[in-house]
Amino acid sequence: MTTSTSPLLEVRDLCVDYDVGGALALRRRTLRVVRGISFAIAPGETYGLVGESGSGKSTTGRAILRLTDVSAGSITFAGSDIAGLGRTSPLSYRRAVQAVYQDPAASLNPRHRAGQAVTDVLARHGVTDRAERRRRAAAAFEQVGLGNEHLTRLPSELSGGQLQRIAIARALVLSPRLVVCDEAVSALDLSTQAQILDLLRERQAETGVSYLFITHDLGVVRHVAHHVGVLRAGEIVEQGTTSRVLDSPSHEYTKKLLAASLSPHPAGRAARRAARVAARGGVAA
């Protein structure tokens, strides 16, 4: 983990609006789904963004990835406001900021061999030599625990955990500075989750990559994040170091999320049980 004081990514007073209500102008209205949130991610660190479905987590990630427009506020990456980049993201930004999503199979062509998911990315970013692309794809697979035999398999021949490893290999092969992980392990069983989370931490220790980890799972955040922000209805209601927020929450919403968490982590277990008992009117289960 780096000791740099300058953030790699700084989100300040971010607002994102969606137009809803249909095609007719009289029926359309503007819905603000992200409401003035601010947070920062240092180089080599992980920021966990947690909250219920519909809280604005994924919309925030999409804004950082420039997949949705920013209505107000700023997103500064490596000292540059990305809102000023124009409608098209430059290749340098798309190389520096990558993403890993919940369903890796949805982003893989079912007719293409798994290795092509990585070689195609390298080709788009200027690696013209075919042999070099294959060499780097094999190295990327090895770094995520996959062998050469996986390069030639179709997505349908691979498990969910293997597909997510391929998605991670594809994201990391370009040596990005930031990876947005949007519910990246939520579809995996607990054993595979732990393997993928350990893999991400290993790659971070080796390369210094930063992560924005978007999830509803507080156990996942505790495992990977240095800092955490709790998002409710588009607003961050609490943020700080992961240990402080999860072990000594100050906001009632954070306490409710923790009480409902099924995380097996022993830290805070007594407090979570007390909160659940209180919620049931003092009746222990």
Side-chain angles (χ1 to χ4, degrees), residues 19 113-114 205 255-256 271:
D19 290 331
R113 304 293 175 178
K255 295 176 183 178
K256 290 179 180 179

Side-chain angles (χ1 to χ4, degrees), residues 16 18 33-34 49 51-65 67-68 101-102 180-183 212 214-215 231:
V16 178
Y18 287 155
V33 294
V34 175
L49 192 59
E52 298 172 302
S53 296
S55 61
K57 306 187 302 297
S58 293
T59 297
T60 301
R62 288 177 59 82
I64 292 168
L65 292 165
L67 299 176
T68 194
Y101 296 105
Q102 178 177 350
V180 177
C181 300
D182 191 352
E183 298 287 4
L212 171 61
I214 297 169
T215 181
L231 197 61

